[in-house]
Amino acid sequence: MDKEVFADGIGQIHFAGNMFRFDFVTLQPSGDSEPATAQVSQRVIMPPQGFLGAMNSMQQMVDKLVAAGVLQKTQNTPDLPAAKE
């Protein structure tokens, strides 16, 4: 692996030109009393098959983290896990 990329999250996912586009964001400080703002730092583009494979891999990881007790399902959104605090 030549390069690692850090992101605080995904800002948006677009579907255009038959490709998925993920805008990865990093949080940038705005000032002493203002919250950090998310700025796009990288974009990853992949075909639908790659997107479906990635979603499958992420779901498998979420299932493992829930089983290990690292994440827990919330009552309000039963399909979306929340990080344990």
Side-chain angles (χ1 to χ4, degrees), residues 59-73:
Q59 185 60 56
Q60 289 175 5
M61 180 57 70
V62 167
D63 293 344
K64 288 179 184 177
L65 292 172
V66 169
V70 175
L71 299 177
Q72 60 186 9
K73 299 233 181 204

Side-chain angles (χ1 to χ4, degrees), residues 8-50:
D8 287 301
I10 296 175
Q12 292 188 15
I13 301 175
H14 309 274
F15 185 73
N18 293 323
M19 297 291 234
F20 285 91
R21 288 159 166 76
F22 296 82
D23 290 340
F24 288 87
V25 298
T26 56
L27 297 177
Q28 301 296 323
S30 297
D32 291 336
S33 61
E34 297 182 28
T37 59
Q39 293 183 355
V40 175
S41 59
Q42 298 282 328
R43 176 175 281 172
V44 173
I45 302 169
M46 66 176 64
Q49 279 304 108

